[in-house]
DNA sequence: ATTGGGAAAGGACATATGTCCTGAATTGGC
DNA sequence: GCCAATTCAGGACATATGTCCTTTCCCAAT
């Protein structure tokens, strides 16, 4: 992580994401811009959090590691997203590890200033409420979905969600996006089993493998399998009502 | 549902749960007390929400039903808890169905007044933030836990969490608390499989069956199985930091 | 070109879990 | 007390998923 001394850039992001009212006058001087390289850990499960981060550029991966060493990828996030919000409100240790999947740019602010100047600042509180309810909503869907559907359906849904916003319909290997074992951990299954299911999909003509890369061939077929259940990872409609 | 015209009682609850600053002067006249009988639906998945409810007495069950008709019980809640908070903030349809498991008493307030008088009221926003982050925290744990552990472990954990706050260590049949099929739906498995695992537990001497009722015999044994992972359903420590 | 390392795919087997169905047990009504 | 209807426990089988290990393939360093 390195701090980016570029007030201009910071202001640009604040404007672009309409955060100017959220971080009002007294908070402004304490905002900084931070850059992370692919693979950098932005925060680590179990540690004491210090900063609230706002993801404004790049892609991050959020995961948890069990005491037995298993990893579960909880989500991939793109802007606008907030890290450390739940911990800020509850005063608890960091819940999940956050890692940069690409180069990442985040706005950071120390809890100290949030407590001091943001505690009663309604726009900030409203912003946090919106972000957190959205997280809750996504996680709630994710929980039900995972518990109620077999891996086959989850994979179909996952493939659709990952490829929908990419230009082409390929699931990249390691370079640009998400590895297969990340995918396995995200779906909550073993790498072995993931391969098994992908094989099935190949036989059915839904996808094709091309040395480590999965290419979606039949979106409609996958969609039928997924049964309209898609992992959400974008801000749904239903705009702010607050 | 029936409205309870008892200002005295309402004020008592407000005091008991320290909600007096949360619902300030302009909101007060619009608070009402509502009673529900066991089995009543407090709100229904997919409908348009109108009221924010605060659970102040009794026990409720929150569940979702998939399009295939499967039911997944997400949680059981006791006071203090809030229903309709996420929907209020996001302006979305009701996410899950909520049902009274015992006689239930809730404070209700129409969204209309929350929007009108509560929108910028920091104590209310802070209260919602605390409640929702807590929900998020619990759901996050629940997701990882369910995805990373087999039914055996989840059941052990469930039995511990359900019996810890009861006077005796029995999992009641249908009358007072939670039915076995609710338990199955909560753990996210089939009734059949639940029985299978219970049978194992009986053989190992961890629990005993007594006509429909499960009696915990060896909490330590269950605890070892659960491996310190306990379903959370109470407000953890880590008090407010806001 | 050669080779060693490591990722990637898949085989073999064990276990976990789901579905369907049957028989026992329980309850409410007469 | 007896019977029908309902609930509950469990058998039999199929499927889903996990673990371990082997094979193949690719690439980098020599």
């Amino acid at each position: 992580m390195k701090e980016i001394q570029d007030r201009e850039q910071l202001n640009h992001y604040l404007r672009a994401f309409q955060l100017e009212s959220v971080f009002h006058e007294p908070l402004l001087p304490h905002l900084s811009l931070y850059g992370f390289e692919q693979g950098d850990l932005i925060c680590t499960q179990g540690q004491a959090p210090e900063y609230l981060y706002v993801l404004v550029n790049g892609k991050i991966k959020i995961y948890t590691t069990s005491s037995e060493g298993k990893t579960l990828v909880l989500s991939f996030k793109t802007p606008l997203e907030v890290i450390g919000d739940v911990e800020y409100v509850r005063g608890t240790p960091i819940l999940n590890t956050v890692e940069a999947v690409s180069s990442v740019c985040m706005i950071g602010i120390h809890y100290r200033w949030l407590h001091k100047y943001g505690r009663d600042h309604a726009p900030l509180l409203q912003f946090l409420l919106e972000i957190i309810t959205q997280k809750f909503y996504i996680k709630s869907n994710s929980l039900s979905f995972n518990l109620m559907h077999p891996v086959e359906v989850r994979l179909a849904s996952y493939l659709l969600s990952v490829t929908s916003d990419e230009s082409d319909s390929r699931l990249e290997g390691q370079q640009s996006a998400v590895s297969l074992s990340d995918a396995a951990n995200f779906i909550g299954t073993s790498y072995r089993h993931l391969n098994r299911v992908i094989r099935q999909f190949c036989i059915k003509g839904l996808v094709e493998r091309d040395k480590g890369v999965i290419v979606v061939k039949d979106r409609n077929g996958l969609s039928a399998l997924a049964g309209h259940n898609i992992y959400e990872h974008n801000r749904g409609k239903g705009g702010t009502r607050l």
Side-chain angles (χ1 to χ4, degrees), chain A:
Chain A
M1 171 185 75
K2 64 173 191 303
E3 185 168 348
I4 302 172
Q5 302 276 5
D6 186 341
R7 221 60 203 173
E8 203 47 53
Q9 184 70 356
L10 200 159
N11 287 329
H12 162 73
Y13 282 129
L14 289 179
R15 239 175 295 118
F17 293 109
Q18 302 175 50
L19 298 174
E20 290 149 310
S21 62
V22 172
F23 299 109
H24 64 331
E25 191 55 46
L27 288 171
L28 269 183
H30 302 106
L31 297 179
S32 303
L33 217 47
Y34 297 101
F36 296 88
E37 297 306 316
Q38 170 173 14
D40 283 359
L41 294 188
I42 292 151
C43 57
T44 304
Q45 181 176 6
Q47 290 187 181
E50 294 193 61
Y51 288 87
L52 185 88
Y53 290 111
V54 181
L55 174 67
V56 289
N57 192 24
K59 185 172 188 172
I60 58 178
K61 164 172 88 174
I62 301 175
Y63 59 92
T64 182
T65 307
S66 72
S67 43
E68 301 91 28
K70 278 190 193 170
T71 295
L72 179 67
V73 174
L74 298 162
S75 54
F76 299 92
K77 303 279 189 183
T78 50
L80 182 67
E81 190 58 60
V82 177
I83 298 300
D85 46 359
V86 173
E87 291 83 354
Y88 168 65
V89 174
R90 302 206 71 215
T92 52
I94 294 174
L95 193 52
N96 304 123
T97 299
V98 179
E99 179 183 324
V101 170
S102 64
S103 299
V104 158
C105 186
M106 313 191 81
I107 299 174
I109 179 169
H110 198 284
Y111 283 1
R112 183 190 310 139
W113 310 117
L114 282 178
H115 278 121
K116 191 160 180 184
Y117 301 117
R119 203 188 167 103
D120 297 314
H121 182 48
L124 173 64
L125 299 176
Q126 288 162 357
F127 173 69
L128 290 177
L129 268 175
E130 277 156 32
I131 290 286
I132 295 176
T133 51
Q134 178 190 298
K135 284 188 180 181
F136 179 88
Y137 187 85
I138 292 174
K139 195 168 288 287
S140 192
N141 274 331
S142 173
L143 174 62
S144 337
F145 189 55
N146 281 309
L147 247 49
M148 300 212 270
H149 301 280
V151 168
E152 185 186 45
V153 175
R154 285 183 259 161
L155 176 60
S157 166
Y158 173 73
L159 288 174
L160 290 174
S161 82
V162 180
T163 57
S164 64
D165 51 346
E166 312 286 331
S167 45
D168 56 353
S169 54
R170 333 186 111 233
L171 178 57
E172 302 296 338
Q174 73 262 49
Q175 26 247 22
S176 87
V178 172
S179 76
L180 265 196
S181 64
D182 269 351
N185 288 332
F186 179 67
I187 292 171
T189 189
S190 61
Y191 178 75
R192 175 65 191 93
H193 190 56
L194 182 67
N195 262 316
R196 199 155 19 208
V197 177
I198 290 177
R199 214 166 125 77
Q200 307 264 333
F201 282 12
C202 286
I203 294 171
K204 292 185 196 167
L206 296 171
V207 305
E208 273 181 16
R209 307 189 88 119
D210 181 22
K211 35 182 176 176
V213 176
I214 306 295
V215 184
V216 172
K217 279 295 176 186
D218 178 3
R219 286 188 72 84
N220 291 333
L222 286 177
S223 211
L225 235 178
H228 308 298
N229 302 91
I230 305 289
Y231 279 115
E232 310 216 20
H233 63 149
N234 48 2
R235 28 235 94 269
K237 50 278 159 179
T240 298
R241 290 281 289 277
L242 261 185

